[in-house]
Amino acid sequence: MLAWEPPTRLVLAWQLDAEWKHNPDPAKQTEIEVHFVPDGRVRTRVDLEHRLLDRFGSNAEQMRATFDSEVGWVGLLRRYANAV
């Protein structure tokens, strides 16, 4: 965990490479920042940014497309939002 500011913000280190294998090299890790934003009395909006994708090198665009797809963050957040 890189930052923890309850109840509004969380930043995590993503230590997986483009082949989805663990890579502990800090120069290769990307970051996931999550903000929790109140949306009325009973709802919370979740804003997620997966950044530093250029660290995937020649696979950066492929990884960006994966994260932005239905099998990536976009789909995951959409499925969760529809489940509650």
Side-chain angles (χ1 to χ4, degrees):
M1 186 173 351
L2 302 175
W4 173 235
E5 299 170 10
T8 60
R9 180 175 177 254
L10 170 68
V11 182
L12 302 170
W14 180 273
Q15 296 180 322
L16 297 178
D17 63 20
E19 277 117 39
W20 303 93
K21 295 180 182 164
H22 181 252
N23 185 343
D25 181 355
K28 299 288 184 180
Q29 78 184 22
T30 59
E31 295 177 359
I32 300 166
E33 183 164 355
V34 184
H35 285 267
F36 303 95
V37 182
D39 184 12
R41 289 185 339 113
V42 295
R43 295 178 53 137
T44 300
R45 185 181 80 231
V46 177
D47 295 333
L48 185 145
E49 177 188 9
H50 194 154
R51 59 182 174 231
L52 303 174
L53 299 184
D54 59 310
R55 293 182 176 179
F56 286 114
S58 62
N59 294 310
E61 288 308 312
Q62 169 196 344
M63 295 303 286
R64 183 181 316 280
T66 299
F67 293 136
D68 286 344
S69 75
E70 286 300 315
V71 296
W73 296 121
V74 171
L76 176 70
L77 290 172
R78 187 174 294 134
R79 280 189 304 277
Y80 179 75
N82 291 331
V84 290

